[in-house]
Amino acid sequence: MQRNHNHPKICTVEKVIDETPTVRTLVFSDDVMANVLPGQFAMVWVPGINELPMSVMITDEPGMAAFTVRRHGPASTGLYNVKAGQKIGVRGPYGNSFDLKQGRLLLVGGGTGLVPMMRLLTFVKPEDDVTVLIGAKSKDEVFFEGMAENLLKQNKHQVIVTTDDGSYGNKGYVTDMVDKLVSENHYDGVYTCGPEIMMYKTVQHAHSKGLFVQASLERMMKCGVGICGSCCVGEDLVCRDGTVFDGKHLLSNKEFGHFHRNKAGILENY
Amino acid sequence: MQRNHNHPKICTVEKVIDETPTVRTLVFSDDVMANVLPGQFAMVWVPGINELPMSVMITDEPGMAAFTVRRHGPASTGLYNVKAGQKIGVRGPYGNSFDLKQGRLLLVGGGTGLVPMMRLLTFVKPEDDVTVLIGAKSKDEVFFEGMAENLLKQNKHQVIVTTDDGSYGNKGYVTDMVDKLVSENHYDGVYTCGPEIMMYKTVQHAHSKGLFVQASLERMMKCGVGICGSCCVGEDLVCRDGTVFDGKHLLSNKEFGHFHRNKAGILENY
Amino acid sequence: MEPSLAASIGKIDLERPIMLASGILGISLDVFNRLYRSGAGAVVTKSLSKEPWEGYPNPTILGLKSGGWINAVGLSNPGAPYFAKMIEPNTDVPIIVSLVGSVPEDFDFMIKQFANCKVAAYELNLSCPHVAKVGLEVGDDPELVKKIVTVAKKSSDVPVIAKVGLGTTHYLNTVGAAIESGIDAITAINTIRAMAIDVDTQRPILSNKFGGLSGSPIKPVALRCVYEISSKYNIPIIGCGGVSTWEDAVEFFLAGASSVQIGSAIGDNWINVFDDINKGIKKYMTDNGFSKIEEMVGLAKKS
Amino acid sequence: MEPSLAASIGKIDLERPIMLASGILGISLDVFNRLYRSGAGAVVTKSLSKEPWEGYPNPTILGLKSGGWINAVGLSNPGAPYFAKMIEPNTDVPIIVSLVGSVPEDFDFMIKQFANCKVAAYELNLSCPHVAKVGLEVGDDPELVKKIVTVAKKSSDVPVIAKVGLGTTHYLNTVGAAIESGIDAITAINTIRAMAIDVDTQRPILSNKFGGLSGSPIKPVALRCVYEISSKYNIPIIGCGGVSTWEDAVEFFLAGASSVQIGSAIGDNWINVFDDINKGIKKYMTDNGFSKIEEMVGLAKKS
Ligand SMILES: Cc1cc2nc3c(=O)[nH]c(=O)nc-3n(C[C@H](O)[C@H](O)[C@H](O)COP(=O)(O)OP(=O)(O)OC[C@H]3O[C@@H](n4cnc5c(N)ncnc54)[C@H](O)[C@@H]3O)c2cc1C
Ligand SMILES: Cc1cc2nc3c(=O)[nH]c(=O)nc-3n(C[C@H](O)[C@H](O)[C@H](O)COP(=O)(O)OP(=O)(O)OC[C@H]3O[C@@H](n4cnc5c(N)ncnc54)[C@H](O)[C@@H]3O)c2cc1C
Ligand SMILES: Cc1cc2nc3c(=O)[nH]c(=O)nc-3n(C[C@H](O)[C@H](O)[C@H](O)COP(=O)(O)O)c2cc1C
Ligand SMILES: Cc1cc2nc3c(=O)[nH]c(=O)nc-3n(C[C@H](O)[C@H](O)[C@H](O)COP(=O)(O)O)c2cc1C
Ligand code: FES
Ligand code: FES
């Protein structure tokens, strides 16, 4: 049967990894999803429950892909509860990717926003000097630190963790660390994905220093292909124009960092 | 716009050639039709009139194709009357092709049945020894004799014309000439297209001498793709299994040479 | 154990669950034999009328650039009496005789022609969308449907199927009327009224202007009809419309069809489509632990 | 002279003959501006209700392997009052406000919300095939249609369009009822009720089970509806359903549509589809000696 990337392809979850008490990684086989670009996402159908957008996570086996999901509302909890052997539907990949510079790079991720950052790390050149900044509320919400270290074995690099409560790594908001880093260093590229307020401040800090910065946005998504309109941010459609946007463009968008639309399409404050 | 070979593609007739008082060749540009295999046909839409099956005729210009039509009933007369500059719709090509042997070949054509024979001549090898037999009722119905000569310039060959009334070439039925030729000579392949009774006898004569013989059949056609069933001969569908069949297969078909179906699908005697 | 492809549509038992749809290659017994050998579980004849019909002039069929077909063959057929004679020698092939007519008596007359033939079922074409006074114009009138079904049921002991489509009244009412009058099964759906215009010559392409859309474009619509019928009524259903892969066939089973018919896919993939689909269904059944077709029927309604 | 792309749909004058269809990207004024700049002659909003609606849970949309889409977004929308506020600043874009409701008063209420907005027309959605009590369930009741159209016409001076689709009664009756009550134009057609079942999990894919089929599969059906309406009634028509190329658009003009709407093609080809189609239409007009869109409208009926 031919594949249509807008039609859910059924995949069996083969392995489930607990990352934190609320975050799990579900691993499955699929050649297309194994080879998406960093920032690209899939619409993931949990039969009988819901369908939700998920960044496509890397795995250490060729031909395998994964989703790293935090349980939150009913949809994400449904996915979180999928056991090995169960089936999910996957369509996509959707969206664009990061414009990866060379030289000194700063990656800023929070929570499951680390997913596209991990994939981005698989694309850096051995000559690149890479700083990964991981923000979390507290120690038990930190994950992918070891993976980042591992992916950067060949590089000059540092992996910095900040926790709001100081229970691990540096104490404080990750965006304060961004401010500090971009004030002290030049970066050829700054990349961020995570809570919108984190991305907003990261983009502001980096942009104010004249750095090239990109963020991968999240919005309510129904179609993933630019039909339904639910993911619009100003005149941009996150699913089709993004999810990755240049910081410069984002700062001219009056909704970025301030509003998102609810399921009825009404603007709500972040 | 992409092309679907089952959807009429509009072509403008660029040149009209009178072959006989009742037969005309209409030339048009189309890369696909210019390169069909011998025996393949198109469904030709004359807007406002009808659509009818036509073997695709060769031309002397690359990228050009033609139909050679005898005016008969309303449909063929409609096509016959198309003037240069007018539009026709063409879908196809449909059907299979001849299995062209090498060595000594005999081609037997009658009327517009010569169309696939002319195209077949463009595929013979210079080493082949080719006899073309053209049957017609009388002198003014003879056409394509010069074209056959011309196409065979490089070959050992003969072009024989028979007319029923002896007004040109050899007097008598073309099938009597077939009988004579296959009795006197061995042929590596015998190919025929024309009135069914001519093909029937040609196949019988050739087959009785153990020769490899193929005929290209005509039947009422609506779809050209094996859906409508109107072109069936026994259990074969001329449009899809043919139009070219092996003589051996045909002689085991109880309808070949005896019956065809009318527009309602009722078997009628030839 | 190997899964079985046998299918029961009420009283009609078939060795394989896919049939040739009406109007497709359906005018010759020799061809029926060939299709049966190629894997069709049954063949439905071209819709037959009392008298021979020539149908519409060409163009009668066209393929769409985006897939699917539109046809207005105009129900050309040799007439029931001629056809009955032709299939009299048949012993092997489950033949379902499709019939069109305007009044109940037409159907009685035609069914009686087949008294000496082995007929697996009659299929009443209440749904051809492009010929006046028959097909949909009959199906759109539930009172007339009742009379026709009642007469057809009386004319012989052979099961009678009603073939419905999207007309100008709700097809579910037609189904209801047919069931009330004792119909044995429903085929859903016929082609959907449609047209194509050529922009270069600025005219409709088919000689009849309007025709019926078939093939992949109508599959999602046919599927919902099967699901709706099987949700509302307890009647065996034959799914029809755009089946071209085993996956399509299985979708129809899951929606509630006991078997499926195949038309346009033959134009796209030729007659090995039967064998390909049979094999695919069998593999699917093995992979998913089904041993009989009927275990799949209507399963999607449970979720 | 360059051919003109200007289109008149009765009293509605547009610079270009292709509009954004309702429900497609239609929830933000910023996006409307972008689409207008990209070549849309007008934009139709998402169908609005009196109150905000969340719509159905996901999955709400899927692409079909053989082309086209099925959606059951469930008319999620922020509600007419919120929406009217949002588009108040609009001065440039011809916005057609699409409305759904169950009773005439709903429409009166909603239209009054837009008193301070520049609205090119209202489009009454009488044809959504997958939400209870609105859409088709309204369109299928010609008496209710008459009341709604009468009220909508009274509520403002802005032209009112009725959008019809294939429901359980004949859509031509809905059209007739709307015309009798003073409708200014007809949009034909909405999506066609359909479904898709996943064979691996044996369940319908959409959370609502049923959805509406859109895109290339429905084009031949939409085209015949436009042809039928324009053959029977003298009313401006907006063609909708499966338009994705200039050739599709021209087919609709020839069938009798004064303009067309585009939905699904945006999912396939993104928003440059507007500009591509405009350019294609212009070239076609030049090649075929047309200077105005209206010279093409209904031309296929003359043959
Ligand atoms: C491009 C993209 C990539 C994402 N990648 C990941 C990831 O890798 N891991 C992860 O855990 N989360 C990811 N998310 C977020 C995730 O899709 C939503 O946070 C999550 O669906 C909210 O789930 P819920 O259970 O609260 O939704 P519910 O309240 O159950 O809502 C149901 C529906 O609303 C949608 N929805 C609700 N809130 C949001 C929101 N803020 N953004 C988008 N859709 C929403 C859901 O997708 C779902 O379809 C991503 C979101 C986007 C847009
Ligand atoms: C594969 C094939 C190739 C052909 N190639 C040529 C060719 O190159 N030149 C040529 O002059 N003729 C050719 N013909 C024959 C030609 O199509 C018919 O002779 C011609 O359509 C009859 O035309 P009419 O005007 O008498 O039809 P009408 O009486 O006007 O009938 C209208 C319709 O019936 C069909 N029809 C009627 N008789 C026949 C028939 N015997 N076979 C097929 N369809 C019929 C017509 O195609 C048309 O669609 C070919 C036929 C076939 C099947
Ligand atoms: C060329 C053609 C002729 C048809 N003739 C008939 C017919 O005579 N009677 C009938 O009930 N259906 C007829 N149909 C409809 C088919 O039986 C079937 O319902 C429809 O094509 C949908 O199935 P498909 O998508 O598999 O083709 C015809 C369809 C085609 C394409
Ligand atoms: C995702 C989606 C949402 C839709 N929402 C609406 C709607 O709110 N109101 C409406 O009248 N039509 C709605 N439609 C129907 C479209 O306006 C249009 O009539 C239909 O999709 C056919 O056009 P297309 O083939 O160009 O998409 C929607 C269609 C889609 C695909
Ligand atoms: S998710 Fe539908 S437009 Fe982006
Ligand atoms: S012409 Fe239709 S089956 Fe051959």
Side-chain angles (χ1 to χ4, degrees):
Chain A
M1 202 61 211
Q2 89 268 37
R3 182 169 183 150
N4 170 341
H5 78 288
N6 297 318
H7 193 93
K9 194 207 151 191
I10 302 298
C11 301
T12 302
V13 171
E14 297 176 20
K15 201 164 60 179
V16 176
I17 305 160
D18 281 313
E19 307 288 359
T20 78
T22 55
V23 176
R24 278 183 184 160
T25 297
L26 316 179
V27 182
F28 61 99
S29 300
D30 186 71
D31 266 328
V32 173
M33 289 298 155
N35 295 301
V36 306
L37 297 172
Q40 286 194 301
F41 68 97
M43 293 298 293
V44 184
W45 177 38
V46 189
I49 312 268
N50 211 306
E51 186 188 47
L52 67 176
M54 281 283 135
S55 297
V56 187
M57 182 60 192
I58 54 169
T59 71
D60 38 24
E61 283 167 78
M64 308 281 281
F67 299 118
T68 297
V69 57
R70 175 189 301 279
R71 74 174 143 85
H72 186 74
S76 51
T77 306
L79 182 59
Y80 178 90
N81 286 332
V82 168
K83 305 275 170 296
Q86 288 184 340
K87 289 167 182 169
I88 54 175
V90 179
R91 61 185 174 93
Y94 295 122
N96 63 359
S97 182
F98 294 96
D99 179 3
L100 185 56
K101 302 289 178 188
Q102 279 181 266
R104 200 152 182 195
L105 306 176
L106 175 62
L107 279 61
V108 184
T112 55
L114 283 164
V115 169
M117 295 296 117
M118 292 302 115
R119 190 174 288 271
L120 195 57
L121 289 181
T122 67
F123 283 79
V124 299
K125 299 270 171 316
E127 314 81 64
D128 295 333
D129 173 355
V130 187
T131 302
V132 177
L133 202 47
I134 297 179
K137 285 210 181 99
S138 65
K139 184 178 175 180
D140 60 354
E141 293 196 4
V142 177
F143 58 99
F144 290 166
E145 183 190 7
M147 184 179 295
E149 285 284 358
N150 211 30
L151 289 166
L152 291 170
K153 272 197 307 247
Q154 317 293 332
N155 293 68
K156 189 170 169 213
H157 75 275
Q158 51 180 336
V159 178
I160 306 172
V161 177
T162 67
T163 51
D164 299 356
D165 63 3
S167 52
Y168 185 76
N170 300 270
K171 179 173 169 147
Y173 292 123
V174 65
T175 47
D176 294 335
M177 181 63 82
V178 172
D179 195 12
K180 181 166 172 278
L181 289 173
V182 299
S183 302
E184 292 169 2
N185 309 286
H186 172 78
Y187 293 95
D188 296 292
V190 179
Y191 305 95
T192 181
C193 184
E196 182 124 329
I197 189 70
M198 181 199 93
M199 293 195 282
Y200 182 65
K201 290 200 172 158
T202 299
V203 167
Q204 276 193 320
H205 294 320
H207 186 73
S208 72
K209 299 291 183 296
L211 303 181
F212 176 81
V213 53
Q214 289 188 314
S216 168
L217 269 55
E218 287 190 9
R219 282 295 181 280
M220 180 71 61
M221 285 190 183
K222 293 180 178 176
C223 70
V225 297
I227 295 185
C228 74
S230 66
C231 70
C232 69
V233 184
E235 64 170 47
D236 294 315
L237 282 306
V238 171
C239 68
R240 190 104 190 202
D241 297 311
T243 60
V244 179
F245 296 92
D246 284 357
K248 198 174 160 183
H249 180 80
L250 284 174
L251 291 176
S252 72
N253 186 313
K254 57 193 188 302
E255 292 177 19
F256 173 62
H258 298 96
F259 304 105
H260 68 106
R261 282 175 201 269
N262 69 13
K263 288 171 191 166
I266 294 177
L267 282 179
E268 290 180 348
N269 285 311
Y270 259 111
Chain B
M1 200 65 213
Q2 88 267 39
R3 182 169 182 149
N4 170 341
H5 78 289
N6 297 317
H7 193 93
K9 194 208 151 192
I10 301 299
C11 302
T12 303
V13 170
E14 296 175 19
K15 200 163 63 181
V16 176
I17 304 160
D18 281 312
E19 306 289 358
T20 77
T22 55
V23 177
R24 277 182 184 160
T25 297
L26 315 179
V27 183
F28 61 99
S29 301
D30 186 70
D31 265 329
V32 173
M33 290 297 154
N35 295 302
V36 306
L37 297 172
Q40 286 194 302
F41 67 98
M43 292 298 294
V44 184
W45 177 37
V46 189
I49 310 268
N50 213 306
E51 186 189 46
L52 67 176
M54 281 282 134
S55 297
V56 187
M57 182 59 194
I58 54 169
T59 70
D60 38 24
E61 282 167 77
M64 308 280 280
F67 298 119
T68 298
V69 57
R70 176 190 300 280
R71 75 175 141 85
H72 185 74
S76 51
T77 305
L79 181 58
Y80 178 90
N81 286 332
V82 168
K83 305 272 170 297
Q86 288 184 342
K87 289 167 182 168
I88 54 176
V90 180
R91 62 186 175 91
Y94 295 122
N96 64 359
S97 183
F98 295 95
D99 178 4
L100 185 56
K101 303 290 178 187
Q102 279 181 267
R104 200 152 182 196
L105 306 174
L106 174 62
L107 279 61
V108 184
T112 54
L114 283 164
V115 168
M117 296 296 117
M118 292 302 115
R119 189 173 288 271
L120 194 58
L121 288 181
T122 66
F123 284 79
V124 298
K125 299 272 174 313
E127 315 80 66
D128 295 333
D129 173 355
V130 187
T131 301
V132 178
L133 200 48
I134 298 179
K137 285 210 182 99
S138 63
K139 183 176 175 179
D140 61 353
E141 293 196 4
V142 178
F143 58 98
F144 289 167
E145 183 190 6
M147 184 179 295
E149 286 284 359
N150 209 30
L151 290 166
L152 291 170
K153 272 198 307 246
Q154 318 291 332
N155 292 68
K156 191 170 166 215
H157 75 276
Q158 51 179 337
V159 178
I160 305 173
V161 178
T162 66
T163 52
D164 300 355
D165 63 2
S167 53
Y168 185 76
N170 300 269
K171 179 172 171 154
Y173 292 124
V174 66
T175 46
D176 293 337
M177 181 62 82
V178 172
D179 195 11
K180 181 165 172 280
L181 289 172
V182 297
S183 304
E184 292 169 1
N185 309 286
H186 172 78
Y187 292 96
D188 297 292
V190 179
Y191 305 94
T192 181
C193 185
E196 184 125 326
I197 189 69
M198 181 199 92
M199 292 194 283
Y200 183 65
K201 292 201 171 158
T202 299
V203 167
Q204 277 192 320
H205 293 320
H207 186 73
S208 71
K209 299 291 182 293
L211 303 181
F212 176 80
V213 54
Q214 289 188 315
S216 168
L217 268 55
E218 287 190 8
R219 282 297 181 278
M220 180 71 60
M221 286 189 182
K222 293 180 180 177
C223 69
V225 297
I227 295 186
C228 74
S230 65
C231 70
C232 69
V233 184
E235 65 170 48
D236 295 315
L237 281 307
V238 171
C239 69
R240 191 102 188 203
D241 298 309
T243 59
V244 178
F245 296 92
D246 284 357
K248 200 175 158 182
H249 180 79
L250 285 174
L251 291 176
S252 72
N253 186 311
K254 57 191 188 299
E255 292 178 21
F256 174 61
H258 298 99
F259 304 106
H260 68 105
R261 281 176 203 270
N262 69 14
K263 287 170 192 166
I266 296 178
L267 283 179
E268 291 181 348
N269 285 311
Y270 259 111
Chain C
M1 217 188 66
E2 272 242 307
S4 158
L5 286 178
S8 298
I9 306 103
K11 287 173 280 177
I12 311 162
D13 289 314
L14 303 179
E15 279 170 47
R16 296 176 292 263
I18 48 173
M19 315 176 184
L20 177 76
S22 177
I24 314 296
L25 296 179
I27 58 167
S28 129
L29 182 56
D30 290 335
V31 174
F32 291 165
N33 271 298
R34 177 176 173 191
L35 294 168
Y36 186 57
R37 288 197 316 270
S38 309
V43 297
V44 186
T45 71
K46 179 84 205 158
S47 292
L48 303 168
S49 47
K50 277 169 66 181
E51 318 264 321
W53 284 353
E54 287 205 352
Y56 298 127
N58 280 349
T60 46
I61 304 189
L62 62 97
L64 293 160
K65 289 179 187 168
S66 48
W69 302 82
I70 308 182
N71 91 82
V73 167
L75 297 176
S76 70
N77 80 87
Y82 177 91
F83 203 89
K85 279 244 157 52
M86 183 187 70
I87 66 165
E88 233 173 68
N90 175 56
T91 52
D92 300 344
V93 187
I95 295 180
I96 296 175
V97 173
S98 171
L99 302 171
V100 275
S102 305
V103 291
E105 298 72 45
D106 291 350
F107 292 88
D108 180 57
F109 169 83
M110 291 189 282
I111 290 175
K112 299 239 157 97
Q113 306 298 312
F114 290 88
N116 300 323
C117 300
K118 201 185 148 197
V119 169
Y122 293 100
E123 184 178 88
L124 312 179
N125 176 349
L126 308 175
S127 45
C128 173
H130 53 72
V131 177
K133 299 214 180 71
V134 298
L136 270 181
E137 294 194 12
V138 170
D140 282 341
D141 179 349
E143 290 312 312
L144 184 52
V145 167
K146 282 185 201 165
K147 285 184 202 141
I148 288 173
V149 173
T150 306
V151 166
K153 282 296 296 173
K154 273 200 202 121
S155 308
S156 88
D157 293 334
V158 172
V160 181
I161 306 161
K163 181 168 177 183
V164 300
L166 299 191
T168 61
T169 65
H170 194 22
Y171 76 96
L172 279 174
N173 297 340
T174 313
V175 171
I179 292 175
E180 232 178 83
S181 316
I183 204 79
D184 297 290
I186 300 289
T187 298
I189 60 174
N190 211 310
T191 56
I192 301 177
R193 191 168 159 90
M195 91 186 299
I197 292 173
D198 174 61
V199 299
D200 286 313
T201 57
Q202 285 116 26
R203 53 166 76 236
I205 299 176
L206 296 176
S207 75
N208 185 52
K209 294 182 172 122
F210 302 108
L213 179 64
S214 65
S216 61
I218 70 169
K219 195 200 76 179
V221 180
L223 194 70
R224 72 97 170 158
C225 292
V226 168
Y227 194 100
E228 285 179 337
I229 297 169
S230 75
S231 300
K232 181 158 180 185
Y233 299 107
N234 182 17
I235 184 89
I237 305 167
I238 304 167
C240 181
V243 175
S244 80
T245 66
W246 65 263
E247 211 170 336
D248 296 329
V250 171
E251 272 191 80
F252 275 97
F253 299 149
L254 296 171
S258 318
S259 75
V260 294
Q261 294 179 355
I262 295 186
S264 307
I266 294 173
D268 296 312
N269 308 326
W270 202 212
I271 58 176
N272 30 321
V273 72
F274 291 106
D275 197 41
D276 290 348
I277 293 182
N278 282 331
K279 285 194 183 120
I281 294 173
K282 212 164 209 173
K283 178 167 187 318
Y284 172 83
M285 292 174 75
T286 307
D287 292 349
N288 288 271
F290 295 111
S291 60
K292 291 176 181 179
I293 298 288
E294 61 189 73
E295 292 165 7
M296 294 185 270
V297 175
L299 214 55
K301 283 181 294 173
K302 305 226 168 90
S303 57
Chain D
M1 220 186 67
E2 272 242 308
S4 159
L5 286 179
S8 298
I9 305 103
K11 284 173 281 180
I12 311 161
D13 288 313
L14 303 178
E15 279 170 47
R16 296 176 292 264
I18 48 173
M19 314 176 183
L20 178 76
S22 177
I24 313 296
L25 297 178
I27 59 166
S28 130
L29 182 56
D30 289 336
V31 174
F32 290 166
N33 270 297
R34 178 177 172 190
L35 294 168
Y36 186 57
R37 286 197 317 270
S38 310
V43 297
V44 185
T45 71
K46 180 84 204 157
S47 292
L48 304 168
S49 46
K50 276 170 67 181
E51 318 265 322
W53 283 354
E54 285 204 354
Y56 298 126
N58 279 351
T60 46
I61 305 189
L62 63 97
L64 293 160
K65 288 179 188 168
S66 50
W69 302 81
I70 308 183
N71 91 83
V73 167
L75 298 175
S76 71
N77 79 88
Y82 177 91
F83 203 89
K85 279 243 157 52
M86 180 188 70
I87 66 164
E88 234 173 67
N90 175 55
T91 50
D92 298 345
V93 187
I95 296 181
I96 295 175
V97 173
S98 172
L99 302 171
V100 276
S102 304
V103 291
E105 298 71 46
D106 291 350
F107 292 88
D108 180 57
F109 169 84
M110 290 190 281
I111 290 176
K112 298 237 159 99
Q113 305 297 312
F114 290 90
N116 299 324
C117 300
K118 201 186 149 198
V119 170
Y122 293 99
E123 184 178 86
L124 312 179
N125 177 350
L126 308 175
S127 45
C128 174
H130 53 74
V131 178
K133 299 214 180 69
V134 299
L136 269 181
E137 294 195 14
V138 171
D140 282 340
D141 179 349
E143 289 312 310
L144 184 53
V145 167
K146 283 184 201 165
K147 285 185 202 139
I148 288 173
V149 173
T150 305
V151 165
K153 283 295 297 174
K154 272 202 201 118
S155 307
S156 88
D157 293 335
V158 173
V160 181
I161 305 162
K163 182 169 177 182
V164 300
L166 299 191
T168 61
T169 66
H170 195 22
Y171 77 97
L172 280 174
N173 297 341
T174 314
V175 171
I179 292 176
E180 232 178 83
S181 315
I183 204 79
D184 296 289
I186 300 287
T187 299
I189 60 174
N190 212 312
T191 55
I192 301 177
R193 191 167 160 91
M195 93 185 298
I197 293 174
D198 174 60
V199 298
D200 286 313
T201 58
Q202 286 116 25
R203 53 166 76 237
I205 299 176
L206 297 176
S207 75
N208 185 54
K209 295 185 171 117
F210 301 108
L213 179 64
S214 65
S216 61
I218 70 169
K219 195 200 77 178
V221 180
L223 194 69
R224 73 99 170 157
C225 292
V226 168
Y227 193 100
E228 284 179 337
I229 297 170
S230 75
S231 299
K232 180 157 181 184
Y233 299 108
N234 182 17
I235 185 90
I237 304 168
I238 303 167
C240 180
V243 175
S244 80
T245 65
W246 65 263
E247 212 171 335
D248 296 329
V250 171
E251 271 193 81
F252 275 97
F253 299 150
L254 296 171
S258 317
S259 74
V260 294
Q261 294 179 355
I262 294 186
S264 307
I266 293 173
D268 296 311
N269 307 325
W270 201 214
I271 58 175
N272 29 322
V273 72
F274 291 107
D275 198 40
D276 290 348
I277 294 183
N278 283 331
K279 284 194 183 122
I281 295 173
K282 213 166 207 171
K283 178 167 185 318
Y284 172 83
M285 292 174 75
T286 307
D287 292 349
N288 289 273
F290 294 112
S291 59
K292 290 176 181 178
I293 297 287
E294 61 188 72
E295 292 165 7
M296 294 185 270
V297 174
L299 214 55
K301 284 182 292 173
K302 304 225 170 90
S303 57

